[in-house]
């Protein structure tokens, strides 16, 4: 909840964001017609909350971490697509291994079919 709290002034908004990320409730739901269904984790795929939550989470989990730990490697990120500009194949392999560990620490994983 800490990254949500820093980004939003409202505790209510931060709590809602964290509930969504931590599984919270299946969206969309209508309180009047049916109670919400619990989910195990993550923002619902295709929901309106998914892209901004991914962007917010990756800002802290990736962007700031890269600037702090690998300031010499430029990168671009659009939502959850990331491109890192390495100087050599060796540097790219080392960064990939480091990123896999970093994402695992954050509860994320790189898709085997997408990573190179």
């Amino acid at each position: 909840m800490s990254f949500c709290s820093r980004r939003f002034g409202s505790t209510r908004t931060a709590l809602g964001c964290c509930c969504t990320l931590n599984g919270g409730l299946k969206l969309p739901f209508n309180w009047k017609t049916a109670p919400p269904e619990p989910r195990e984790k993550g923002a619902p795929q295709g929901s309106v909350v998914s892209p901004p939550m991914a962007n917010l989470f990756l800002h802290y989990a990736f962007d700031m971490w890269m600037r702090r730990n690998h300031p010499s490697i430029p990168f671009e990120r659009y939502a959850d697509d990331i491109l890192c500009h390495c100087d050599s194949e060796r540097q790219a392999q080392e960064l990939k291994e480091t990123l896999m560990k970093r994402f695992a620490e954050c509860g994320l994983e790189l898709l085997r079919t997408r990573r190179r």
Side-chain angles (χ1 to χ4, degrees):
M1 184 152 143
S2 62
F3 79 91
C4 291
S5 304
R6 280 180 275 180
R7 206 61 175 170
F8 303 111
S10 164
T11 305
R12 185 179 218 168
T13 304
L15 184 59
C17 290
C18 290
C19 282
T20 300
L21 280 178
N22 293 329
L25 307 169
K26 277 191 179 176
L27 300 174
F29 62 84
N30 185 335
W31 287 100
K32 295 178 183 176
T33 59
E37 299 175 40
R39 282 192 348 276
E40 290 183 29
K41 64 179 181 176
Q45 185 70 26
S47 75
V48 296
V49 75
S50 217
M53 291 305 297
N55 197 37
L56 178 63
F57 188 76
L58 285 172
H59 173 72
Y60 291 100
F62 178 76
D63 299 354
M64 293 179 73
W65 180 86
M66 276 293 287
R67 288 184 186 113
R68 194 172 45 249
N69 294 290
H70 298 281
S72 64
I73 301 176
F75 66 90
E76 279 88 37
R77 184 175 64 78
Y78 180 77
D80 62 348
D81 293 324
I82 301 168
L83 178 64
C84 298
H85 302 278
C86 297
D87 293 329
S88 66
E89 188 173 343
R90 180 178 173 189
Q91 184 185 41
Q93 288 295 332
E94 290 171 359
L95 180 62
K96 182 172 85 169
E97 290 172 19
T98 304
L99 285 175
M100 289 173 69
K101 290 176 189 169
R102 170 62 180 164
F103 285 152
E105 290 170 2
C106 297
L108 302 172
E109 63 182 290
L110 295 174
L111 294 176
R112 288 189 178 276
T113 57
R114 302 277 314 267
R115 64 180 187 226
R116 292 182 222 160

